[in-house]
Amino acid sequence: MIDFAHIDAANVAEVGGKGAALGELARIDGVRVPNGFCVTTDAFRRMVGAVPPIGALLDRLARVAAEDRAAIRALSAEVRRAVEDVAVHDALAAQVGEALTRLGADGACAVRSSATAEDLPTASFAGQQDSYLNVTGPDAVLRHVRLCWASLFTERAVTYRVRNGFDHRGIGMAVVVQRMVFPDAAGTMFTADPVTSNRGTVTVEAGWGLGEALVSGRVCGDVYTVRDGRVVSTAIADKTLVALASPGGGVQEAPVEPELRTRPALTAAQAVRLARLGRSVEAHFGRPQDIEWCRVGDDFHVVQSRPITTLFPIPPSEDGENHVYVSVGHQQMMTDAMKPLGLSFWQMTTPRRMHEAGGRLFVDVAPLLATSAGRAGLMEALGGSDPLLGDAMRTVLDRDGFVRTDDDAPGTPDASTSPPTGTAPAGEPPAGTAPAAPPAPVDADPALVHELIRAGEASVATLRSRIRDLSGPPTPTPAGPRCSSPSPAW
């Protein structure tokens, strides 16, 4: 048993992804997290491992293919029943009871699953395990702890693990027990747009009551788009349903009162405050976050945060300036990601600095856009070779102040000055783009071909001698005619 005050990111193996995130959130100044504790993965393994039938069932489950839905459904149901019937040791029951007393013995709790393979940067297990709200009393909490353990083996969770190569035995389940918050409004917040990958935009979704109906997708909420400290767009939903705490425990749904259906769940000022809170959470974790929050009166509580796993990565930058990256591969009609060797080799063959992200190479054209001549040449080149890319570049230029131009940045180099390292000369497109105008014709000279062949053969011979000791004995050259051709221009 571990209280939030003693949990951080280093405890993922003990408290799972959600538990570790809550421990980290509780350490951020200005972020309010309802108090709680975690029943550790060690307790789960000791309780579940003591039941012989579960091991045999997991062995059978490990041999089932992801396509065999019927077998997964039947076996996972057997595992869940066995886990739900596990007898909780007296020592664990006593520890849970003591922890609940510290929270307030008569207070309601949220009992939430927290698997070790959850909220990962490279995989999203969100919503696959169960959570329960408004649970009161030690006996009810322990019963719901077992239900959370069992939810590790739902058909959906098992199928996802099989398809993504996760071992059923290698994943542990912790359980978060947290003081219940009964909010006036609740919802989610993305500190980057998950559709456009725009890191400058915070998207807030809000609804009345508990966030259960909103997070599950049963109802639509109000949507607020916040950028640069102000709400730039608002879409108020017709909120017909609200999730409320049931007097007998659990959650019940009810219709929203008519006068509240189209009333905003947040004011503009509250949406901006929430976005500012989201930026604090993002800065702490070092990456864009998907955050769940509650509002009680005018106070916000954060009840979960996980990384957004769908964003395309961007090249790292420490200068605080805006950058405009153009894909080199797309200009060559090479839209697939490249292998590391290809990325390395390409960068060895170009004098211009390129930035790597998502298995692709990019050129930063922001310095080129700073000059009127550079903008004109780049737009002519990009618009002529790829109209969609040209439209995208015009959209960037239309964003007031995003690109520092020679009109608003005194001292910016003009077209006659060499551009910064990593960009094409002013008036020319970046590496990988089509030229703005065809080059001047070259007089035919047959000797040039033979010179290129000799240069290529000399280069291969030099390379062969350098790598002989690294790659083993040279491969015998087969008999027969030999042909050489000049290296391709790209």
Side-chain angles (χ1 to χ4, degrees):
M1 199 77 55
I2 310 179
D3 290 338
F4 286 175
H6 303 293
I7 294 173
D8 60 23
N11 298 112
V12 170
E14 299 170 272
V15 300
K18 185 182 287 95
L22 286 167
E24 288 286 339
L25 286 166
R27 297 169 180 267
I28 306 174
D29 289 339
V31 176
R32 302 183 63 174
V33 177
N35 288 337
F37 61 90
C38 288
V39 180
T40 65
T41 56
D42 180 62
F44 163 75
R45 291 190 173 99
R46 284 189 288 110
M47 298 294 106
V48 173
V51 183
I54 294 179
L57 288 169
L58 290 180
D59 289 338
R60 293 170 58 190
L61 202 56
R63 296 190 293 268
V64 176
E67 295 75 21
D68 193 348
R69 300 294 297 274
I72 290 177
R73 186 179 303 113
L75 286 171
S76 61
E78 288 188 59
V79 175
R80 288 198 306 277
R81 285 192 295 269
V83 173
E84 289 171 9
D85 292 338
V86 166
V88 176
H89 293 172
D90 291 342
L92 178 60
Q95 289 178 346
V96 170
E98 293 172 3
L100 288 173
T101 300
R102 292 194 296 271
L103 287 182
D106 298 328
C109 295
V111 183
R112 311 167 67 192
S113 60
S114 179
T116 53
E118 177 180 275
D119 299 343
L120 300 177
T122 56
S124 178
F125 290 74
Q128 291 188 11
Q129 283 83 49
D130 293 338
S131 292
Y132 302 90
L133 303 180
N134 195 27
V135 180
T136 305
D139 291 341
V141 168
L142 287 172
R143 183 173 68 255
H144 286 87
V145 166
R146 293 198 300 271
L147 291 174
C148 286
W149 287 346
S151 70
L152 189 62
F153 302 101
T154 62
E155 179 185 350
R156 177 188 173 194
V158 168
T159 302
Y160 187 88
R161 289 198 296 271
V162 171
R163 286 178 175 169
N164 289 276
F166 287 88
D167 181 9
H168 303 304
R169 293 180 182 273
I171 297 176
M173 173 68 82
V175 180
V176 171
V177 180
Q178 191 172 19
R179 185 187 294 278
M180 187 70 188
V181 174
F182 299 98
D184 300 311
T188 60
M189 169 171 49
F190 294 92
T191 63
D193 192 315
V195 177
T196 67
S197 296
N198 187 342
R199 270 78 166 177
T201 296
V202 176
T203 302
V204 177
E205 190 171 7
W208 298 119
L210 297 167
E212 186 73 8
L214 189 64
V215 172
S216 66
R218 288 179 51 78
V219 297
C220 294
D222 303 336
V223 179
Y224 305 82
T225 303
V226 182
R227 186 184 301 122
D228 298 329
R230 64 187 182 91
V231 176
V232 296
S233 69
T234 303
I236 305 302
D238 184 4
K239 299 174 285 293
T240 59
L241 199 66
V242 61
L244 302 171
S246 175
V251 176
Q252 64 183 12
E253 293 180 347
V256 176
E257 297 177 13
E259 65 271 18
L260 295 178
R261 289 179 57 166
T262 56
R263 180 185 298 179
L266 296 174
T267 65
Q270 287 172 336
V272 170
R273 278 179 50 211
L274 196 55
R276 192 177 301 119
L277 189 67
R279 289 299 185 206
S280 297
V281 174
E282 179 185 69
H284 180 84
F285 286 104
R287 66 185 64 199
Q289 296 288 301
D290 169 7
I291 300 168
E292 295 181 21
W293 56 269
C294 299
R295 178 178 64 79
V296 182
D298 201 38
D299 294 329
F300 288 105
H301 301 258
V302 176
V303 294
Q304 188 169 345
S305 186
R306 62 173 69 91
I308 303 175
T309 59
T310 57
L311 299 177
F312 190 87
I314 58 175
S317 175
E318 303 294 337
D319 58 10
E321 296 291 338
N322 292 330
H323 298 269
V324 182
Y325 296 105
V326 174
S327 170
V328 175
H330 280 69
Q331 287 298 294
Q332 300 283 351
M333 292 183 288
M334 295 167 50
T335 57
D336 290 343
M338 299 172 65
K339 302 295 185 183
L341 178 61
L343 293 170
S344 177
F345 185 79
W346 195 320
Q347 294 189 78
M348 290 171 57
T349 62
T350 176
R352 295 180 178 128
R353 184 185 178 194
M354 294 185 182
H355 306 265
E356 182 181 338
R360 295 168 176 85
L361 292 173
F362 298 84
V363 171
D364 180 14
V365 298
L368 188 61
L369 293 172
T371 69
S372 56
R375 287 194 299 276
L378 186 62
M379 293 304 299
E380 181 179 353
L382 294 180
S385 64
D386 187 335
L388 292 177
L389 187 54
D391 289 343
M393 194 64 64
R394 276 186 287 272
T395 300
V396 170
L397 291 173
D398 288 341
R399 291 173 58 184
D400 185 33
F402 184 84
V403 176
R404 294 182 182 273
T405 65
D406 48 9
D407 299 325
D408 58 12
T412 302
D414 60 22
S416 63
T417 306
S418 297
T421 302
T423 64
E428 295 180 11
T433 62
V442 178
D443 293 336
D445 182 2
L448 179 62
V449 176
H450 298 290
E451 180 62 30
L452 288 173
I453 291 175
R454 284 194 297 272
E457 290 178 337
S459 176
V460 171
T462 300
L463 181 60
R464 182 178 290 122
S465 66
R466 288 179 177 177
I467 68 174
R468 180 179 293 111
D469 295 336
L470 302 177
S471 60
T475 303
T477 303
R482 299 174 57 193
C483 298
S484 298
S485 60
S487 300
W490 63 86

